[in-house]
Amino acid sequence: MEKEVEKKWIIRGNDKLRVGSEHSIRGLLETLKSNLNVNDGRPIIPLGRGDPSPFPCFRTTHVVDDALNTAIQSAKFNSYPPPGGIPSARRSIAEHLSLHLPYTLSMEDVFLTSGCRQAIEVITTVLACPGGNILIPKPGYPHYDACALYHNLQVRHFDLLPEKAWEVDLDAVEALADENTVAIVIINPGNPCGNVYTYEHLNKVAETAERLGIPVIADEVYAHLIFGGNPFVPMGVFGSTVPVFTLGSISKRWMVPGLRLGWLVITDPNGFLKDTEIVSLIKQCLNMSSSPACVIQGALPQILQNTKEDFFENTISLLHQAVEICYEELKEIACITLLPKPEGSMFLMVKLNTLVLEDISNDMDFCSKLAREESVIVLPGTVLGVTNWLRITFSIDLASLKDGLERMKVFCCRHTKQQ
């Protein structure tokens, strides 16, 4: 009897997915968690990811609970939603955003997505074209890089200037853009830098984009989460100068990232895009992807209309206190250089000086050893496009924040070179 030859399976995967793993905060945080000492016994302090929802002090408003209960009990939202979102939800977003604009958005300008991440994926998919490039800030949010590279869009990074409150280097933007540039990404309030741009600076950004003939992708997922001197100004205010694709969600301001409700909104009052296929391509892209759960869409109008200002004020107060704690603790760490305090979002960036440290080669090495020795998770700047910087998340309860920073101080003292 002939011996049966063992069959060899050849199954090829998609190499492009490796690109995404190189530009993934989630993936890097999981890697850092693998360094944790399971025998430490102390609670893990998560200063690496912007998710305040597990902490009771950042619990969402009861309005969200009531709206979801009403939507569920109505039995009106158990069906598949239409691509782009149910009309009442889209209309509520248009009305909500129009409160801060000099013109009125319509339901047709709004497309609902499964969180802001899907909004990023949709707009990069729609704008991707052969030979195209996109301008992305450095440091920035790496999901833009991953999505652009996945669709063969060349990524061109422009610097944010730490000495100028992380303003956009507009000279660099001018030098980087060409006839194949499809868009410029502006994140305001800033992730990872905590900056809040002034009206004057955003106006310069809009004028630069107009001169270059490129639309602006305005990531405003942290809109209104501000606690400094600069008010939040939506990029859509400048929609009569340059077409703006605004990306946002209820994840951060309402402290519900798990509900996965975001939006992609077109602000184009002068009709710059009317002779393009952009709107139809957005619809086509959404036809091929999943929508946010119908029940959260059904709850959205009530959430937007009924949330009281004191809920937001409490959140802002907590974040402001957290920033003060960060600066009080971090200023005592010799290997860390502080910049002016952040004015918005949930993050701050600090410069790491590895030259004064023993056995620490770079920011990734710092974060890996900090996780193993102190059970504190901090995000290395490398994943954000800058080496030997750290992004610290301060949207956790204040006692845990102070504990985590104290542990970081002990860690840095332990690794500081002896004079």
Side-chain angles (χ1 to χ4, degrees):
M1 181 176 180
E2 289 188 18
K3 184 179 179 181
E4 186 175 341
V5 178
E6 183 178 350
K7 185 172 183 177
K8 183 177 181 181
W9 292 89
I10 301 175
I11 302 175
R12 297 180 177 87
N14 187 345
D15 287 338
K16 285 187 176 182
L17 292 176
R18 294 193 182 94
V19 171
S21 65
E22 295 168 3
H23 299 275
S24 167
I25 290 176
R26 292 180 182 180
L28 184 50
L29 290 176
E30 288 303 311
T31 299
L32 292 175
K33 288 177 183 178
S34 68
N35 289 283
L36 291 168
N37 179 0
V38 295
N39 298 316
D40 188 302
R42 294 177 294 178
I44 299 166
I45 308 295
L47 303 181
R49 187 174 182 182
D51 183 359
S53 61
F55 303 98
C57 61
F58 284 110
R59 179 164 181 177
T60 191
T61 169
H62 69 88
V63 172
V64 172
D65 303 329
D66 295 343
L68 285 168
N69 286 334
T70 299
I72 291 169
Q73 291 171 9
S74 73
K76 295 178 180 178
F77 305 105
N78 295 331
S79 305
Y80 289 122
I86 62 177
S88 60
R90 296 172 69 186
R91 193 176 300 112
S92 68
I93 289 292
E95 293 171 355
H96 176 71
L97 297 182
S98 295
L99 294 173
H100 304 281
L101 297 176
Y103 19 72
T104 302
L105 298 171
S106 76
M107 181 189 82
E108 299 301 322
D109 299 318
V110 178
F111 303 91
L112 297 188
T113 58
S114 182
C116 195
R117 283 172 65 92
Q118 190 190 25
I120 295 171
E121 293 157 11
V122 169
I123 195 60
T124 49
T125 301
V126 166
L127 294 178
C129 59
N133 65 77
I134 186 168
L135 308 184
I136 296 176
K138 183 179 71 172
Y141 182 55
H143 197 55
Y144 285 98
D145 298 70
C147 291
L149 293 169
Y150 187 82
H151 291 293
N152 296 320
L153 269 177
Q154 181 191 20
V155 172
R156 296 183 179 179
H157 289 114
F158 59 87
D159 287 330
L160 302 183
L161 305 173
E163 69 278 9
K164 293 186 176 181
W166 299 105
E167 286 188 351
V168 174
D169 185 344
L170 293 174
D171 291 336
V173 169
E174 295 259 14
L176 289 169
D178 60 24
E179 67 277 5
N180 295 317
T181 303
V182 300
I184 178 173
V185 175
I186 299 296
I187 305 175
N188 180 50
N191 175 12
C193 304
N195 52 284
V196 177
Y197 290 137
T198 63
Y199 179 97
E200 291 74 20
H201 185 61
L202 290 174
N203 188 41
K204 290 179 182 177
V205 170
E207 291 173 347
T208 301
E210 178 195 28
R211 189 161 54 251
L212 297 171
I214 56 175
V216 176
I217 298 172
D219 185 325
E220 297 176 356
V221 74
Y222 292 96
H224 303 287
L225 282 180
I226 55 172
F227 34 83
N230 291 333
F232 169 67
V233 179
M235 194 72 211
V237 165
F238 307 98
S240 58
T241 300
V242 60
V244 177
F245 300 107
T246 297
L247 315 184
S249 78
I250 64 171
S251 299
K252 308 299 184 178
R253 197 179 183 204
W254 275 267
M255 307 290 154
V256 286
L259 293 186
R260 310 310 301 146
L261 193 287
W263 52 81
L264 163 58
V265 176
I266 299 174
T267 308
D268 183 28
N270 289 344
F272 297 126
L273 302 175
K274 66 180 179 181
D275 295 326
T276 72
E277 294 183 306
I278 293 300
V279 173
S280 63
L281 290 174
I282 290 173
K283 292 178 179 177
Q284 180 60 24
C285 188
L286 291 170
N287 276 333
M288 297 188 295
S289 60
S290 298
S291 301
C294 197
V295 69
I296 182 59
Q297 294 190 43
L300 185 61
Q302 188 176 334
I303 292 171
L304 297 181
Q305 293 164 17
N306 295 347
T307 301
K308 303 299 183 185
E309 197 60 35
D310 60 351
F311 168 73
F312 300 128
E313 290 172 353
N314 181 64
T315 299
I316 296 300
S317 175
L318 285 169
L319 292 175
H320 196 189
Q321 292 177 64
V323 169
E324 296 300 324
I325 289 172
C326 285
Y327 272 67
E328 192 65 29
E329 297 293 330
L330 292 172
K331 71 181 182 182
E332 299 180 12
I333 302 179
C335 64
I336 285 178
T337 301
L338 286 169
L339 278 74
K341 292 176 184 177
E343 297 193 322
S345 79
M346 302 174 176
F347 313 102
L348 59 87
M349 291 286 286
V350 296
K351 188 83 172 90
L352 177 67
N353 181 6
T354 58
L355 296 178
V356 302
L357 297 175
E358 197 80 59
D359 301 324
I360 302 288
S361 56
N362 53 40
D363 56 328
M364 185 65 195
D365 191 27
F366 179 97
C367 293
S368 297
K369 290 174 178 174
L370 178 65
R372 181 164 58 250
E373 296 179 24
E374 297 293 339
S375 294
V376 175
I377 303 291
V378 168
L379 192 71
T382 298
V383 74
L384 307 170
V386 287
T387 303
N388 288 340
W389 287 77
L390 306 172
R391 189 192 78 171
I392 297 173
T393 304
F394 48 82
S395 56
I396 70 172
D397 73 88
L398 301 184
S400 296
L401 176 63
K402 190 161 186 176
D403 182 15
L405 295 173
E406 288 283 357
R407 293 191 211 173
M408 188 186 300
K409 192 187 307 181
V410 170
F411 171 84
C412 291
C413 287
R414 184 186 310 127
H415 287 274
T416 297
K417 292 178 180 177
Q418 299 302 313
Q419 298 299 318

